[in-house]
Amino acid sequence: GAGVSQTPSNKVTEKGKYVELRCDPISGHTALYWYRQSLGQGPEFLIYFQGTGAADDSGLPNDRFFAVRPEGSVSTLKIQRTERGDSAVYLCASSPLGLAAQETQYFGPGTRLLVL
Amino acid sequence: SQQGEEDPQALSIQEGENATMNCSYKTSINNLQWYRQNSGRGLVHLILIRSNEREKHSGRLRVTLDTSKKSSSLLITASRAADTASYFCATDAFNAGGTSYGKLTFGQGTILTVHP
């Protein structure tokens, strides 16, 4: 079946604008994760969904960042009043069960966000 | 700071040689995973080793885990030019409540270059 997909693949925006990044997980996967990767660094955890609920949002850097997963499948990461420091690759991953099930996480190709 | 620290930061070898990368971490873990990333996108899962396992093999990959030293190593045998990529270790750690959601904490990665 299809892997994790993310749209758009690239997004260029201006400082202060609002952006939405979309993630389509593997069909049937309960757990969904968002990570952010800056140049030359490893990915950093942002938020984890178990079904429709955000089980852990401790990685969101501030209240400009928000994510939803209303039907337990597709997720949208929303960034308000973007800043140049938000420029990074935003990665989405999914796994079948989550909840420490010792699972592989399957990553999408990422969305490269550039804030000018 | 990130949980996992890879060593070395960069490794350059000839095709056919073995490549060894090391990872250290700080807190108790549920499992440790290794990922490969090409061209700054698309993390690919390589291997998952549970905290009660000491060694695991997958094709040309061999991973060891020493929980007493809080370290892991990834060995790639008989390297190929196609192995050129960044390699990350990621830990699935227990939170303060003693549970784990499977959120991964990544190191900064090792950049491996294999020359034909």
Side-chain angles (χ1 to χ4, degrees):
Chain A
V4 178
S5 63
Q6 293 186 245
T7 54
S9 55
N10 293 281
K11 177 71 177 178
V12 181
T13 190
E14 294 179 342
K15 181 175 177 294
K17 298 290 188 182
Y18 168 83
V19 296
E20 288 189 352
L21 311 178
R22 176 188 169 107
C23 171
D24 279 88
I26 293 172
S27 178
H29 278 196
T30 302
L32 185 147
Y33 306 82
W34 283 99
Y35 296 85
R36 177 170 73 172
Q37 186 175 23
S38 299
L39 193 63
Q41 304 293 315
E44 290 184 297
F45 170 80
L46 295 176
I47 187 169
Y48 157 64
F49 286 92
Q50 182 69 21
T52 60
D56 184 346
D57 64 357
S58 61
L60 294 177
N62 51 59
D63 61 6
R64 295 187 297 106
F65 289 75
F66 189 71
V68 295
R69 195 186 185 199
E71 297 177 358
S73 54
V74 171
S75 177
T76 304
L77 179 65
K78 307 179 181 192
I79 310 174
Q80 298 177 322
R81 304 183 304 279
T82 52
E83 300 178 355
R84 292 193 180 89
D86 299 335
S87 297
V89 176
Y90 289 81
L91 296 163
C92 176
S94 71
S95 65
L97 297 174
L99 292 177
Q102 306 270 25
E103 299 176 321
T104 296
Q105 291 186 21
Y106 298 87
F107 280 81
T111 293
R112 179 163 283 134
L113 175 67
L114 177 61
V115 181
L116 301 175
Chain B
S1 62
Q2 298 203 0
Q3 161 88 311
E5 299 285 341
E6 283 96 339
D7 168 54
Q9 291 187 342
L11 182 60
S12 182
I13 59 174
Q14 295 295 127
E15 226 172 11
E17 293 180 340
N18 295 342
T20 300
M21 288 159 269
N22 302 296
C23 169
S24 60
Y25 58 91
K26 295 177 183 147
T27 62
S28 295
I29 61 171
N30 193 28
N31 62 66
L32 184 145
Q33 304 181 33
W34 285 90
Y35 285 81
R36 184 185 74 221
Q37 186 176 43
N38 294 88
S39 306
R41 304 281 280 267
L43 282 156
V44 174
H45 182 264
L46 296 176
I47 202 162
L48 180 154
I49 186 164
R50 292 175 171 76
S51 60
N52 61 353
E53 297 176 317
R54 292 297 167 258
E55 188 170 312
K56 211 160 181 182
H57 297 256
S58 177
R60 294 184 295 113
L61 307 180
R62 172 179 169 251
V63 168
T64 63
L65 178 65
D66 187 335
T67 52
S68 66
K69 294 181 180 177
K70 292 186 168 58
S71 67
S72 173
S73 68
L74 170 66
L75 169 68
I76 304 173
T77 59
S79 63
R80 305 166 181 166
D83 295 329
T84 295
S86 293
Y87 290 82
F88 294 91
C89 72
T91 52
D92 173 10
F94 292 106
N95 61 24
T99 59
S100 164
Y101 287 136
K103 79 178 190 186
L104 297 176
T105 303
F106 286 81
Q108 293 191 341
T110 292
I111 300 172
L112 174 65
T113 303
V114 182
H115 299 280

